[in-house]
Amino acid sequence: METVVKTKTPILQFDSLNVIYNEGEPNQVHALKNVSGEIHEGEFISIIGPSGCGKSTLLHTLDGLLKATSGTIFVNGSPVHGPDGDRAMVFQDFALMPWQTVYQNVAFGLRLAGKKESEIRDKVMHYIKMVGLDGFEQKYPHQLSGGMKQRVGIARGFAVEPKVLLMDEPFSAIDEQTREIMQEEVLKIMLNEKKTVVFITHSIDEAVFLSSRIFLMSVRPGQIVEEVKIDIPYPRTLETKSLPEYQEYKQVIWDHLKGEVRRQYRKGEA
């Protein structure tokens, strides 16, 4: 992968985001506090932090599914006021429609956008083949393994050709062996399609393997307290994980995460 050239306008920019659930109520929760960041075209950004720190809240806010209490979000310089075709989400629980086939699930977003059936067919088949599911177009979700279901979700996200693909712990529900293969596959797709990805994970190994940069979050209220640039060239393979620098990055991330988890325990929230 070529070195990311930071353009004048980030593809995704967010500034001073605050999210407060049940604001003003006794059970008020300050989930995000003054969260800011910039993401440039072609980057793979992972967000990692202790459980309950607001990672998914941040992703859903960037997608427009959740409205921030305060702060701003811009995509290519235009303000975000809700969900839009320039962003697509891949969820951790697959979120497939069980009554629809693989083809229909991948086509869903395109049909919602009013695309012509000929265009839908070409794009759906392109992305089904890209995730290695050609031949399974007419299968239903209950006929697929966990890894195959997640591939359908990824194909659906890419099919609408968003500027930014948002992925919320997409591999958490699949076994470890499939997870490692899926990591390689997502990187291949991301590089081939020249996509920008924002990725939530609890796995330090996964974050280091996939990312060009990692945003490290604090305990709640969540803040981005550090950024780590991963200077390991793409393309990466599973052999990359044996590199000394790879292990060093993992230690840096663990040292941060360990400190935040200890803070969480001291606060009685773990």
Side-chain angles (χ1 to χ4, degrees), residues 44-48 199-201 206-207 210-211 213-215:
F44 196 117
I45 302 294
S46 286
I47 302 173
I48 194 167
F199 188 93
I200 301 292
T201 182
E206 191 165 75
L210 294 170
S211 307
R213 281 190 296 149
I214 300 173
F215 292 171

Side-chain angles (χ1 to χ4, degrees), residues 191-249:
L191 296 173
N192 288 338
E193 297 291 304
K194 298 179 172 61
K195 294 297 183 184
T196 305
V197 179
V198 183
F199 188 93
I200 301 292
T201 182
H202 275 99
S203 168
I204 295 172
D205 182 77
E206 191 165 75
V208 173
F209 181 71
L210 294 170
S211 307
S212 46
R213 281 190 296 149
I214 300 173
F215 292 171
L216 305 178
M217 289 188 69
S218 69
V219 295
R220 193 173 66 230
Q223 298 175 285
I224 295 174
V225 292
E226 191 176 347
E227 294 181 18
V228 177
K229 183 179 180 183
I230 307 299
D231 282 319
I232 298 175
Y234 293 98
R236 298 172 189 167
T237 65
L238 294 180
E239 285 69 35
T240 301
K241 297 186 177 188
S242 64
L243 295 174
E245 57 266 42
Y246 185 89
Q247 301 304 320
E248 290 169 8
Y249 281 122

Side-chain angles (χ1 to χ4, degrees), residues 128-149:
I128 284 177
K129 288 178 181 177
M130 181 166 289
V131 298
L133 288 177
D134 43 317
F136 289 85
E137 298 87 351
Q138 301 309 315
K139 299 293 185 183
Y140 288 88
H142 75 272
Q143 297 174 299
L144 306 176
S145 68
M148 293 168 78
K149 290 176 186 177

Side-chain angles (χ1 to χ4, degrees), residues 1-269:
M1 182 180 180
E2 295 180 0
T3 302
V4 173
V5 177
K6 293 200 173 183
T7 55
K8 190 172 183 180
T9 302
I11 193 167
L12 178 61
Q13 183 176 16
F14 46 100
D15 186 53
S16 301
L17 291 181
N18 283 274
V19 173
I20 302 174
Y21 294 111
N22 306 314
E23 187 176 15
E25 301 294 327
N27 60 341
Q28 172 179 300
V29 175
H30 199 160
L32 297 178
K33 181 179 179 182
N34 298 328
V35 176
S36 300
E38 293 184 353
I39 297 169
H40 294 262
E41 189 171 7
E43 285 195 294
F44 196 117
I45 302 294
S46 286
I47 302 173
I48 194 167
S51 295
C53 71
K55 298 183 295 295
S56 291
T57 294
L58 175 56
L59 206 69
H60 291 184
T61 305
L62 296 178
D63 189 49
L65 293 170
L66 180 65
K67 182 175 174 58
T69 307
S70 62
T72 56
I73 305 169
F74 294 90
V75 175
N76 276 348
S78 298
V80 168
H81 299 297
D84 200 287
D86 54 19
R87 284 148 288 137
M89 180 82 81
V90 177
F91 297 94
Q92 59 181 300
D93 59 355
F94 313 133
L96 303 181
M97 290 167 282
W99 62 89
Q100 294 200 335
T101 63
V102 168
Y103 183 97
Q104 292 167 329
N105 268 284
V106 176
F108 178 76
L110 294 166
R111 287 189 171 134
L112 205 62
K115 301 294 184 183
K116 293 180 179 179
E117 203 59 37
S118 58
E119 182 182 355
I120 290 173
R121 184 173 57 253
D122 290 344
K123 286 187 177 181
V124 168
M125 292 310 301
H126 170 73
Y127 287 104
I128 284 177
K129 288 178 181 177
M130 181 166 289
V131 298
L133 288 177
D134 43 317
F136 289 85
E137 298 87 351
Q138 301 309 315
K139 299 293 185 183
Y140 288 88
H142 75 272
Q143 297 174 299
L144 306 176
S145 68
M148 293 168 78
K149 290 176 186 177
Q150 197 53 276
R151 291 184 187 203
V152 177
I154 291 168
R156 182 176 58 190
F158 275 109
V160 296
E161 299 185 337
K163 292 183 174 68
V164 182
L165 188 64
L166 306 166
M167 306 182 78
D168 190 1
E169 297 190 66
F171 307 144
S172 62
I174 56 180
D175 65 85
E176 190 63 31
Q177 295 89 343
T178 304
R179 185 172 184 152
E180 292 213 340
I181 298 301
M182 290 299 298
Q183 290 169 7
E184 278 195 316
E185 292 301 313
V186 164
L187 276 188
K188 287 177 186 175
I189 296 168
M190 179 248 188
L191 296 173
N192 288 338
E193 297 291 304
K194 298 179 172 61
K195 294 297 183 184
T196 305
V197 179
V198 183
F199 188 93
I200 301 292
T201 182
H202 275 99
S203 168
I204 295 172
D205 182 77
E206 191 165 75
V208 173
F209 181 71
L210 294 170
S211 307
S212 46
R213 281 190 296 149
I214 300 173
F215 292 171
L216 305 178
M217 289 188 69
S218 69
V219 295
R220 193 173 66 230
Q223 298 175 285
I224 295 174
V225 292
E226 191 176 347
E227 294 181 18
V228 177
K229 183 179 180 183
I230 307 299
D231 282 319
I232 298 175
Y234 293 98
R236 298 172 189 167
T237 65
L238 294 180
E239 285 69 35
T240 301
K241 297 186 177 188
S242 64
L243 295 174
E245 57 266 42
Y246 185 89
Q247 301 304 320
E248 290 169 8
Y249 281 122
K250 285 181 62 177
Q251 188 63 50
V252 167
I253 306 303
W254 169 237
D255 288 343
H256 162 82
L257 192 59
K258 179 170 58 177
E260 291 300 321
V261 171
R262 284 175 174 164
R263 284 183 59 205
Q264 194 173 47
Y265 269 98
R266 287 196 293 269
K267 291 174 68 177
E269 296 180 357

